[in-house]
């Protein structure tokens, strides 16, 4: 079955950096668009970034543009998001998503999430 496993979350101070990774298995990775979402307590899950199956198209939420960078390695079945200049409002559980058509909150496959906490 298809599995997405996130890693790399943790506690970091304001202005710090983290690199989240998502390892995918059970799918032909190069056929899937990949994305990252996040959900803070009491808030809806929100889009963070997405990358097309080939890696040629990148999409970012306005709130992270210029600070986060999404990338993928189709040989290793992984997608990563490099998060720099982190702010307390970036604190959330971050989820990896996969979909053959389009990355949305209703995408087909999700990881279990990894906690990111940014202290002020």
């Amino acid at each position: 079955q298809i599995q997405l496993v996130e890693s790399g979350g943790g506690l970091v101070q304001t202005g710090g950096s983290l690199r989240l990774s998502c390892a995918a298995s059970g799918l032909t990775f190069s056929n899937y668009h990949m994305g990252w979402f996040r959900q803070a307590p009491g808030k809806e899950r929100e889009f963070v970034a997405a990358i097309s199956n080939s890696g040629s198209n990148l999409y970012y939420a306005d709130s992270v543009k210029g600070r986060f960078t999404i990338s993928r390695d189709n040989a290793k079945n992984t997608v990563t998001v490099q998060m720099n200049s982190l702010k307390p409002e970036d604190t959330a559980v971050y989820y990896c998503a996969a979909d053959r058509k389009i990355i949305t909150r209703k995408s087909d496959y999700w990881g279990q999430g990894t906690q990111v906490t940014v202290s002020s």
Side-chain angles (χ1 to χ4, degrees):
Q1 73 278 20
I2 293 175
Q3 283 192 315
L4 304 175
V5 180
E6 300 96 335
S7 61
L11 173 65
V12 65
Q13 291 186 334
T14 296
S17 298
L18 282 174
R19 184 178 179 88
L20 305 184
S21 293
C22 173
S25 59
L27 75 170
T28 303
F29 188 69
S30 59
N31 288 346
Y32 283 78
H33 308 303
M34 301 297 295
W36 289 93
F37 286 73
R38 66 187 182 188
Q39 188 166 18
K43 295 189 176 182
E44 290 189 352
R45 189 171 296 190
E46 65 172 0
F47 170 76
V48 173
I51 185 167
S52 60
N53 61 322
S54 66
S56 57
N57 296 303
L58 311 179
Y59 308 91
Y60 296 97
D62 288 343
S63 58
V64 307
K65 206 170 289 184
R67 300 188 297 122
F68 290 13
T69 303
I70 190 171
S71 60
R72 66 188 293 159
D73 186 335
N74 283 353
K76 296 182 178 180
N77 286 14
T78 58
V79 59
T80 62
V81 58
Q82 176 67 42
M83 306 187 298
N84 298 329
S85 302
L86 283 162
K87 306 175 182 180
E89 51 263 44
D90 294 317
T91 295
V93 177
Y94 283 70
Y95 297 90
C96 175
D99 200 299
R100 294 193 66 171
K101 294 183 179 179
I102 186 172
I103 294 298
T104 71
R105 281 188 285 183
K106 296 183 178 181
S107 284
D108 291 336
Y109 303 102
W110 294 86
Q112 82 289 350
T114 186
Q115 177 70 48
V116 171
T117 303
V118 184
S119 64
S120 56

